[in-house]
Amino acid sequence: MKFIAGNWKMNGSAAALKNMTSALRDVDTKNTVVLCVPFTMLTHDTDGVALGAQDVSAHDHGAYTGEVSAQMLKDAGARYVIVGHSERRQYHDETNDIVRDKAAAAIEAGITPIICVGETMDEKQAGKTMAIIESGVRESVPTDTNGKIVIAYEPRWAIGAGLTPTAAEIAEAHTLIAKTLESMGLAGTPVLYGASVKGSNAAEIMSIPNVDGVLVGGASLKPDDFIPIITSMK
Ligand code: 13P
């Protein structure tokens, strides 16, 4: 059984979500499927499909104009939230410390954070990939996870670029993440791979040791692209 999450980023509409959830209702799968949509599309009317948000405030409530708390996400229908996506780290200067606080707020509210880590092209070229991944996991995961977190490894240089690391590179990164989680007492935490996943490479990627599923960007927007990813693994 694999964990397959779509990240719609700033795309879609209520109508597109309805179209997707009704298409997903008929898909015969044992995999866990989650759609992470913009705040405005969160709803309780999901045809049984689990929804997630793409960001959350680290604060509970109060004078934080424009922010949305974890409790509000839950109230709106979210069961998951992506935290520390590379686009948040890049455009909103989110650090591991901020990501950890956001993940903790989600856990406190009973929402599962999907915590993203991964290296930039500069970091890769400087030979820092493994160090960035390990510190990303150690510093972005809260101490008290209540057994409810998901990690996503997203090589930032490959996102939306149609690029993918080699199977050996993915295996090396995921093995390191699994070992790091184990040393933190978090063995068994699902670890997803994300960057340029599509129907044609999903099965191969999910067969790599320690890859428990995928986080899919562009190919999660249309049922014709997303469903083959879900059905590519039993
Ligand atoms: P793409 O699948 O479009 O490369 O995006 C990956 C991603 O950022 C998922 O969170």
Side-chain angles (χ1 to χ4, degrees), residues 5-9 82 85-87 116 152 154-156 158-164 193-198 214-221 229:
N7 174 10
W8 276 20
K9 309 192 178 185
I82 296 172
H85 189 276
S86 67
E87 288 145 22
C116 300
E154 297 206 316
R156 292 166 63 171
I159 293 176
L163 297 171
T164 40
Y193 168 81
S196 302
V197 175
K198 37 192 191 289
V214 285
L215 179 55
V216 186
S220 70
L221 292 170
I229 295 174

PDB file of all heavy atoms in Angstrom, residues 5-9 82 85-87 116 152 154-156 158-164 193-198 214-221 229, ligand 1:
ATOM      1  N   ALA A   5      -0.087  11.584  -2.696  1.00  0.00           N
ATOM      2  CA  ALA A   5      -0.639  12.914  -2.425  1.00  0.00           C
ATOM      3  C   ALA A   5      -0.460  13.798  -3.650  1.00  0.00           C
ATOM      4  O   ALA A   5       0.594  13.790  -4.285  1.00  0.00           O
ATOM      5  CB  ALA A   5       0.063  13.529  -1.218  1.00  0.00           C
ATOM      6  N   GLY A   6      -1.507  14.538  -3.959  1.00  0.00           N
ATOM      7  CA  GLY A   6      -1.425  15.540  -5.020  1.00  0.00           C
ATOM      8  C   GLY A   6      -1.237  16.903  -4.387  1.00  0.00           C
ATOM      9  O   GLY A   6      -1.823  17.185  -3.333  1.00  0.00           O
ATOM     10  N   ASN A   7      -0.405  17.721  -4.983  1.00  0.00           N
ATOM     11  CA  ASN A   7      -0.231  19.112  -4.539  1.00  0.00           C
ATOM     12  C   ASN A   7      -0.665  20.003  -5.697  1.00  0.00           C
ATOM     13  O   ASN A   7       0.039  20.121  -6.685  1.00  0.00           O
ATOM     14  CB  ASN A   7       1.238  19.356  -4.176  1.00  0.00           C
ATOM     15  CG  ASN A   7       1.512  20.817  -3.858  1.00  0.00           C
ATOM     16  OD1 ASN A   7       0.577  21.616  -3.718  1.00  0.00           O
ATOM     17  ND2 ASN A   7       2.782  21.167  -3.742  1.00  0.00           N
ATOM     18  N   TRP A   8      -1.831  20.605  -5.524  1.00  0.00           N
ATOM     19  CA  TRP A   8      -2.363  21.430  -6.619  1.00  0.00           C
ATOM     20  C   TRP A   8      -1.683  22.789  -6.723  1.00  0.00           C
ATOM     21  O   TRP A   8      -1.919  23.544  -7.646  1.00  0.00           O
ATOM     22  CB  TRP A   8      -3.883  21.586  -6.455  1.00  0.00           C
ATOM     23  CG  TRP A   8      -4.647  20.424  -7.028  1.00  0.00           C
ATOM     24  CD1 TRP A   8      -4.146  19.172  -7.280  1.00  0.00           C
ATOM     25  CD2 TRP A   8      -6.015  20.410  -7.437  1.00  0.00           C
ATOM     26  NE1 TRP A   8      -5.136  18.384  -7.827  1.00  0.00           N
ATOM     27  CE2 TRP A   8      -6.285  19.116  -7.933  1.00  0.00           C
ATOM     28  CE3 TRP A   8      -7.038  21.354  -7.431  1.00  0.00           C
ATOM     29  CZ2 TRP A   8      -7.541  18.750  -8.422  1.00  0.00           C
ATOM     30  CZ3 TRP A   8      -8.299  20.988  -7.910  1.00  0.00           C
ATOM     31  CH2 TRP A   8      -8.537  19.706  -8.407  1.00  0.00           C
ATOM     32  N   LYS A   9      -0.865  23.130  -5.713  1.00  0.00           N
ATOM     33  CA  LYS A   9      -0.225  24.455  -5.698  1.00  0.00           C
ATOM     34  C   LYS A   9      -1.300  25.521  -5.922  1.00  0.00           C
ATOM     35  O   LYS A   9      -2.414  25.349  -5.439  1.00  0.00           O
ATOM     36  CB  LYS A   9       0.914  24.506  -6.719  1.00  0.00           C
ATOM     37  CG  LYS A   9       1.872  23.323  -6.533  1.00  0.00           C
ATOM     38  CD  LYS A   9       3.160  23.435  -7.287  1.00  0.00           C
ATOM     39  CE  LYS A   9       4.039  22.222  -6.979  1.00  0.00           C
ATOM     40  NZ  LYS A   9       5.364  22.279  -7.576  1.00  0.00           N
ATOM     41  N   ILE A  82       0.563  20.248   3.901  1.00  0.00           N
ATOM     42  CA  ILE A  82       1.971  20.267   3.486  1.00  0.00           C
ATOM     43  C   ILE A  82       2.646  21.403   4.262  1.00  0.00           C
ATOM     44  O   ILE A  82       2.116  22.516   4.318  1.00  0.00           O
ATOM     45  CB  ILE A  82       2.084  20.543   1.969  1.00  0.00           C
ATOM     46  CG1 ILE A  82       1.443  19.409   1.159  1.00  0.00           C
ATOM     47  CG2 ILE A  82       3.551  20.736   1.561  1.00  0.00           C
ATOM     48  CD1 ILE A  82       1.347  19.708  -0.344  1.00  0.00           C
ATOM     49  N   HIS A  85       7.112  23.194   2.045  1.00  0.00           N
ATOM     50  CA  HIS A  85       7.344  22.924   0.622  1.00  0.00           C
ATOM     51  C   HIS A  85       8.456  23.856   0.122  1.00  0.00           C
ATOM     52  O   HIS A  85       8.580  24.987   0.593  1.00  0.00           O
ATOM     53  CB  HIS A  85       6.057  23.145  -0.174  1.00  0.00           C
ATOM     54  CG  HIS A  85       6.190  22.678  -1.586  1.00  0.00           C
ATOM     55  ND1 HIS A  85       6.735  23.461  -2.569  1.00  0.00           N
ATOM     56  CD2 HIS A  85       5.909  21.486  -2.167  1.00  0.00           C
ATOM     57  CE1 HIS A  85       6.768  22.764  -3.702  1.00  0.00           C
ATOM     58  NE2 HIS A  85       6.281  21.572  -3.488  1.00  0.00           N
ATOM     59  N   SER A  86       9.207  23.405  -0.856  1.00  0.00           N
ATOM     60  CA  SER A  86      10.355  24.203  -1.313  1.00  0.00           C
ATOM     61  C   SER A  86       9.923  25.579  -1.819  1.00  0.00           C
ATOM     62  O   SER A  86      10.670  26.545  -1.700  1.00  0.00           O
ATOM     63  CB  SER A  86      11.118  23.465  -2.406  1.00  0.00           C
ATOM     64  OG  SER A  86      10.332  23.364  -3.546  1.00  0.00           O
ATOM     65  N   GLU A  87       8.680  25.675  -2.354  1.00  0.00           N
ATOM     66  CA  GLU A  87       8.239  26.993  -2.826  1.00  0.00           C
ATOM     67  C   GLU A  87       7.970  27.931  -1.647  1.00  0.00           C
ATOM     68  O   GLU A  87       8.156  29.143  -1.763  1.00  0.00           O
ATOM     69  CB  GLU A  87       7.017  26.821  -3.746  1.00  0.00           C
ATOM     70  CG  GLU A  87       7.440  26.225  -5.088  1.00  0.00           C
ATOM     71  CD  GLU A  87       6.455  25.277  -5.730  1.00  0.00           C
ATOM     72  OE1 GLU A  87       5.255  25.326  -5.414  1.00  0.00           O
ATOM     73  OE2 GLU A  87       6.902  24.463  -6.573  1.00  0.00           O
ATOM     74  N   CYS A 116       8.186  18.675   4.131  1.00  0.00           N
ATOM     75  CA  CYS A 116       9.044  18.546   2.943  1.00  0.00           C
ATOM     76  C   CYS A 116      10.493  18.936   3.243  1.00  0.00           C
ATOM     77  O   CYS A 116      10.739  19.929   3.935  1.00  0.00           O
ATOM     78  CB  CYS A 116       8.545  19.455   1.823  1.00  0.00           C
ATOM     79  SG  CYS A 116       6.864  19.098   1.304  1.00  0.00           S
ATOM     80  N   ALA A 152       8.222  14.203   3.052  1.00  0.00           N
ATOM     81  CA  ALA A 152       8.349  14.167   1.586  1.00  0.00           C
ATOM     82  C   ALA A 152       9.742  14.645   1.207  1.00  0.00           C
ATOM     83  O   ALA A 152      10.162  15.732   1.632  1.00  0.00           O
ATOM     84  CB  ALA A 152       7.296  15.045   0.931  1.00  0.00           C
ATOM     85  N   GLU A 154      11.800  16.108  -1.613  1.00  0.00           N
ATOM     86  CA  GLU A 154      11.639  16.765  -2.906  1.00  0.00           C
ATOM     87  C   GLU A 154      12.951  17.432  -3.307  1.00  0.00           C
ATOM     88  O   GLU A 154      13.307  18.483  -2.755  1.00  0.00           O
ATOM     89  CB  GLU A 154      10.531  17.815  -2.830  1.00  0.00           C
ATOM     90  CG  GLU A 154       9.173  17.223  -2.515  1.00  0.00           C
ATOM     91  CD  GLU A 154       8.034  18.075  -3.052  1.00  0.00           C
ATOM     92  OE1 GLU A 154       8.080  19.306  -2.916  1.00  0.00           O
ATOM     93  OE2 GLU A 154       7.111  17.514  -3.632  1.00  0.00           O
ATOM     94  N   PRO A 155      13.705  16.813  -4.218  1.00  0.00           N
ATOM     95  CA  PRO A 155      14.901  17.481  -4.731  1.00  0.00           C
ATOM     96  C   PRO A 155      14.464  18.754  -5.450  1.00  0.00           C
ATOM     97  O   PRO A 155      13.789  18.695  -6.475  1.00  0.00           O
ATOM     98  CB  PRO A 155      15.509  16.448  -5.685  1.00  0.00           C
ATOM     99  CG  PRO A 155      14.436  15.448  -5.962  1.00  0.00           C
ATOM    100  CD  PRO A 155      13.407  15.551  -4.889  1.00  0.00           C
ATOM    101  N   ARG A 156      14.799  19.896  -4.873  1.00  0.00           N
ATOM    102  CA  ARG A 156      14.190  21.161  -5.319  1.00  0.00           C
ATOM    103  C   ARG A 156      14.529  21.491  -6.766  1.00  0.00           C
ATOM    104  O   ARG A 156      13.747  22.126  -7.471  1.00  0.00           O
ATOM    105  CB  ARG A 156      14.615  22.287  -4.368  1.00  0.00           C
ATOM    106  CG  ARG A 156      13.993  22.081  -3.005  1.00  0.00           C
ATOM    107  CD  ARG A 156      14.602  22.925  -1.918  1.00  0.00           C
ATOM    108  NE  ARG A 156      14.430  24.351  -2.131  1.00  0.00           N
ATOM    109  CZ  ARG A 156      14.732  25.265  -1.207  1.00  0.00           C
ATOM    110  NH1 ARG A 156      15.201  24.889  -0.027  1.00  0.00           N
ATOM    111  NH2 ARG A 156      14.564  26.537  -1.461  1.00  0.00           N
ATOM    112  N   ALA A 158      14.607  19.525  -9.186  1.00  0.00           N
ATOM    113  CA  ALA A 158      13.888  18.669 -10.139  1.00  0.00           C
ATOM    114  C   ALA A 158      12.401  19.023 -10.240  1.00  0.00           C
ATOM    115  O   ALA A 158      11.706  18.557 -11.138  1.00  0.00           O
ATOM    116  CB  ALA A 158      14.037  17.210  -9.723  1.00  0.00           C
ATOM    117  N   ILE A 159      11.914  19.869  -9.319  1.00  0.00           N
ATOM    118  CA  ILE A 159      10.478  20.160  -9.262  1.00  0.00           C
ATOM    119  C   ILE A 159      10.028  20.965 -10.470  1.00  0.00           C
ATOM    120  O   ILE A 159      10.611  21.994 -10.783  1.00  0.00           O
ATOM    121  CB  ILE A 159      10.135  20.909  -7.963  1.00  0.00           C
ATOM    122  CG1 ILE A 159      10.354  19.976  -6.777  1.00  0.00           C
ATOM    123  CG2 ILE A 159       8.717  21.441  -7.992  1.00  0.00           C
ATOM    124  CD1 ILE A 159      10.135  20.635  -5.435  1.00  0.00           C
ATOM    125  N   GLY A 160       8.993  20.482 -11.124  1.00  0.00           N
ATOM    126  CA  GLY A 160       8.390  21.203 -12.247  1.00  0.00           C
ATOM    127  C   GLY A 160       9.314  21.320 -13.441  1.00  0.00           C
ATOM    128  O   GLY A 160       8.982  21.968 -14.431  1.00  0.00           O
ATOM    129  N   ALA A 161      10.476  20.683 -13.366  1.00  0.00           N
ATOM    130  CA  ALA A 161      11.482  20.840 -14.421  1.00  0.00           C
ATOM    131  C   ALA A 161      11.516  19.644 -15.357  1.00  0.00           C
ATOM    132  O   ALA A 161      12.269  19.635 -16.329  1.00  0.00           O
ATOM    133  CB  ALA A 161      12.856  21.035 -13.784  1.00  0.00           C
ATOM    134  N   GLY A 162      10.689  18.633 -15.038  1.00  0.00           N
ATOM    135  CA  GLY A 162      10.725  17.420 -15.847  1.00  0.00           C
ATOM    136  C   GLY A 162      11.996  16.614 -15.587  1.00  0.00           C
ATOM    137  O   GLY A 162      12.293  15.665 -16.293  1.00  0.00           O
ATOM    138  N   LEU A 163      12.754  17.000 -14.545  1.00  0.00           N
ATOM    139  CA  LEU A 163      13.990  16.286 -14.220  1.00  0.00           C
ATOM    140  C   LEU A 163      13.711  15.313 -13.073  1.00  0.00           C
ATOM    141  O   LEU A 163      12.902  15.601 -12.209  1.00  0.00           O
ATOM    142  CB  LEU A 163      15.064  17.270 -13.741  1.00  0.00           C
ATOM    143  CG  LEU A 163      15.528  18.318 -14.727  1.00  0.00           C
ATOM    144  CD1 LEU A 163      16.412  19.339 -14.030  1.00  0.00           C
ATOM    145  CD2 LEU A 163      16.286  17.657 -15.871  1.00  0.00           C
ATOM    146  N   THR A 164      14.382  14.172 -13.075  1.00  0.00           N
ATOM    147  CA  THR A 164      14.308  13.286 -11.902  1.00  0.00           C
ATOM    148  C   THR A 164      15.711  12.790 -11.593  1.00  0.00           C
ATOM    149  O   THR A 164      16.508  12.553 -12.496  1.00  0.00           O
ATOM    150  CB  THR A 164      13.402  12.045 -12.133  1.00  0.00           C
ATOM    151  OG1 THR A 164      13.623  11.563 -13.441  1.00  0.00           O
ATOM    152  CG2 THR A 164      11.956  12.320 -11.909  1.00  0.00           C
ATOM    153  N   TYR A 193       8.328  10.491  -2.180  1.00  0.00           N
ATOM    154  CA  TYR A 193       9.238  11.155  -3.120  1.00  0.00           C
ATOM    155  C   TYR A 193       8.403  12.126  -3.961  1.00  0.00           C
ATOM    156  O   TYR A 193       7.296  11.775  -4.410  1.00  0.00           O
ATOM    157  CB  TYR A 193       9.918  10.120  -4.048  1.00  0.00           C
ATOM    158  CG  TYR A 193      10.607  10.828  -5.172  1.00  0.00           C
ATOM    159  CD1 TYR A 193      11.861  11.399  -4.966  1.00  0.00           C
ATOM    160  CD2 TYR A 193       9.961  11.036  -6.396  1.00  0.00           C
ATOM    161  CE1 TYR A 193      12.463  12.141  -5.966  1.00  0.00           C
ATOM    162  CE2 TYR A 193      10.558  11.780  -7.393  1.00  0.00           C
ATOM    163  CZ  TYR A 193      11.808  12.326  -7.173  1.00  0.00           C
ATOM    164  OH  TYR A 193      12.385  13.084  -8.154  1.00  0.00           O
ATOM    165  N   GLY A 194       8.935  13.315  -4.208  1.00  0.00           N
ATOM    166  CA  GLY A 194       8.194  14.254  -5.053  1.00  0.00           C
ATOM    167  C   GLY A 194       9.098  15.069  -5.942  1.00  0.00           C
ATOM    168  O   GLY A 194      10.091  15.638  -5.469  1.00  0.00           O
ATOM    169  N   ALA A 195       8.821  15.119  -7.204  1.00  0.00           N
ATOM    170  CA  ALA A 195       9.450  15.959  -8.239  1.00  0.00           C
ATOM    171  C   ALA A 195       9.299  15.234  -9.564  1.00  0.00           C
ATOM    172  O   ALA A 195       9.858  14.153  -9.753  1.00  0.00           O
ATOM    173  CB  ALA A 195      10.932  16.261  -7.988  1.00  0.00           C
ATOM    174  N   SER A 196       8.481  15.839 -10.422  1.00  0.00           N
ATOM    175  CA  SER A 196       8.279  15.320 -11.788  1.00  0.00           C
ATOM    176  C   SER A 196       7.795  13.869 -11.818  1.00  0.00           C
ATOM    177  O   SER A 196       8.178  13.094 -12.689  1.00  0.00           O
ATOM    178  CB  SER A 196       9.561  15.459 -12.607  1.00  0.00           C
ATOM    179  OG  SER A 196       9.967  16.812 -12.654  1.00  0.00           O
ATOM    180  N   VAL A 197       6.921  13.517 -10.849  1.00  0.00           N
ATOM    181  CA  VAL A 197       6.315  12.169 -10.889  1.00  0.00           C
ATOM    182  C   VAL A 197       5.172  12.186 -11.887  1.00  0.00           C
ATOM    183  O   VAL A 197       4.369  13.124 -11.925  1.00  0.00           O
ATOM    184  CB  VAL A 197       5.793  11.755  -9.491  1.00  0.00           C
ATOM    185  CG1 VAL A 197       5.054  10.419  -9.567  1.00  0.00           C
ATOM    186  CG2 VAL A 197       6.936  11.681  -8.487  1.00  0.00           C
ATOM    187  N   LYS A 198       5.097  11.152 -12.713  1.00  0.00           N
ATOM    188  CA  LYS A 198       4.000  11.018 -13.669  1.00  0.00           C
ATOM    189  C   LYS A 198       3.661   9.541 -13.840  1.00  0.00           C
ATOM    190  O   LYS A 198       4.351   8.672 -13.273  1.00  0.00           O
ATOM    191  CB  LYS A 198       4.337  11.671 -15.002  1.00  0.00           C
ATOM    192  CG  LYS A 198       5.761  11.536 -15.456  1.00  0.00           C
ATOM    193  CD  LYS A 198       6.019  12.465 -16.633  1.00  0.00           C
ATOM    194  CE  LYS A 198       7.346  12.199 -17.300  1.00  0.00           C
ATOM    195  NZ  LYS A 198       8.515  12.593 -16.525  1.00  0.00           N
ATOM    196  N   VAL A 214       4.277   8.924  -3.183  1.00  0.00           N
ATOM    197  CA  VAL A 214       4.734  10.072  -3.979  1.00  0.00           C
ATOM    198  C   VAL A 214       3.914  11.318  -3.664  1.00  0.00           C
ATOM    199  O   VAL A 214       2.755  11.236  -3.267  1.00  0.00           O
ATOM    200  CB  VAL A 214       4.652   9.772  -5.499  1.00  0.00           C
ATOM    201  CG1 VAL A 214       5.788   8.849  -5.928  1.00  0.00           C
ATOM    202  CG2 VAL A 214       3.310   9.192  -5.909  1.00  0.00           C
ATOM    203  N   LEU A 215       4.557  12.466  -3.846  1.00  0.00           N
ATOM    204  CA  LEU A 215       3.892  13.774  -3.753  1.00  0.00           C
ATOM    205  C   LEU A 215       3.967  14.361  -5.155  1.00  0.00           C
ATOM    206  O   LEU A 215       5.055  14.616  -5.676  1.00  0.00           O
ATOM    207  CB  LEU A 215       4.604  14.655  -2.726  1.00  0.00           C
ATOM    208  CG  LEU A 215       4.070  16.075  -2.515  1.00  0.00           C
ATOM    209  CD1 LEU A 215       2.581  16.077  -2.172  1.00  0.00           C
ATOM    210  CD2 LEU A 215       4.842  16.779  -1.393  1.00  0.00           C
ATOM    211  N   VAL A 216       2.798  14.545  -5.761  1.00  0.00           N
ATOM    212  CA  VAL A 216       2.718  14.835  -7.190  1.00  0.00           C
ATOM    213  C   VAL A 216       2.222  16.252  -7.424  1.00  0.00           C
ATOM    214  O   VAL A 216       1.179  16.639  -6.886  1.00  0.00           O
ATOM    215  CB  VAL A 216       1.726  13.848  -7.867  1.00  0.00           C
ATOM    216  CG1 VAL A 216       1.743  14.033  -9.377  1.00  0.00           C
ATOM    217  CG2 VAL A 216       2.017  12.414  -7.476  1.00  0.00           C
ATOM    218  N   GLY A 217       2.946  17.038  -8.206  1.00  0.00           N
ATOM    219  CA  GLY A 217       2.518  18.392  -8.522  1.00  0.00           C
ATOM    220  C   GLY A 217       1.660  18.413  -9.784  1.00  0.00           C
ATOM    221  O   GLY A 217       0.485  18.037  -9.767  1.00  0.00           O
ATOM    222  N   GLY A 218       2.259  18.827 -10.886  1.00  0.00           N
ATOM    223  CA  GLY A 218       1.526  19.042 -12.142  1.00  0.00           C
ATOM    224  C   GLY A 218       0.632  17.881 -12.564  1.00  0.00           C
ATOM    225  O   GLY A 218      -0.491  18.090 -13.033  1.00  0.00           O
ATOM    226  N   ALA A 219       1.105  16.655 -12.360  1.00  0.00           N
ATOM    227  CA  ALA A 219       0.328  15.490 -12.825  1.00  0.00           C
ATOM    228  C   ALA A 219      -0.812  15.119 -11.884  1.00  0.00           C
ATOM    229  O   ALA A 219      -1.477  14.099 -12.086  1.00  0.00           O
ATOM    230  CB  ALA A 219       1.266  14.294 -13.035  1.00  0.00           C
ATOM    231  N   SER A 220      -1.059  15.941 -10.850  1.00  0.00           N
ATOM    232  CA  SER A 220      -2.208  15.643  -9.972  1.00  0.00           C
ATOM    233  C   SER A 220      -3.418  16.504 -10.326  1.00  0.00           C
ATOM    234  O   SER A 220      -4.473  16.385  -9.700  1.00  0.00           O
ATOM    235  CB  SER A 220      -1.838  15.878  -8.501  1.00  0.00           C
ATOM    236  OG  SER A 220      -1.673  17.261  -8.225  1.00  0.00           O
ATOM    237  N   LEU A 221      -3.271  17.361 -11.332  1.00  0.00           N
ATOM    238  CA  LEU A 221      -4.345  18.326 -11.613  1.00  0.00           C
ATOM    239  C   LEU A 221      -5.495  17.741 -12.426  1.00  0.00           C
ATOM    240  O   LEU A 221      -6.624  18.225 -12.334  1.00  0.00           O
ATOM    241  CB  LEU A 221      -3.773  19.540 -12.369  1.00  0.00           C
ATOM    242  CG  LEU A 221      -2.814  20.426 -11.563  1.00  0.00           C
ATOM    243  CD1 LEU A 221      -2.135  21.443 -12.468  1.00  0.00           C
ATOM    244  CD2 LEU A 221      -3.562  21.118 -10.432  1.00  0.00           C
ATOM    245  N   ILE A 229      -1.239   7.217 -11.931  1.00  0.00           N
ATOM    246  CA  ILE A 229      -0.212   7.173 -10.880  1.00  0.00           C
ATOM    247  C   ILE A 229      -0.735   6.336  -9.701  1.00  0.00           C
ATOM    248  O   ILE A 229      -0.029   5.477  -9.171  1.00  0.00           O
ATOM    249  CB  ILE A 229       0.152   8.606 -10.415  1.00  0.00           C
ATOM    250  CG1 ILE A 229       0.795   9.370 -11.573  1.00  0.00           C
ATOM    251  CG2 ILE A 229       1.060   8.580  -9.188  1.00  0.00           C
ATOM    252  CD1 ILE A 229       1.059  10.842 -11.293  1.00  0.00           C
TER     253      ILE A 229
HETATM  254  P1  13P B   1       5.961  18.471  -9.993  1.00  0.00           P
HETATM  255  O1  13P B   1       5.367  17.081  -9.843  1.00  0.00           O
HETATM  256  O2  13P B   1       5.118  19.373 -10.850  1.00  0.00           O
HETATM  257  O3  13P B   1       7.409  18.417 -10.373  1.00  0.00           O
HETATM  258  O4  13P B   1       5.901  19.141  -8.533  1.00  0.00           O
HETATM  259  C1  13P B   1       6.404  18.431  -7.460  1.00  0.00           C
HETATM  260  C2  13P B   1       5.988  19.117  -6.224  1.00  0.00           C
HETATM  261  O5  13P B   1       6.437  20.206  -5.914  1.00  0.00           O
HETATM  262  C3  13P B   1       4.992  18.434  -5.374  1.00  0.00           C
HETATM  263  O6  13P B   1       4.872  19.057  -4.149  1.00  0.00           O
END
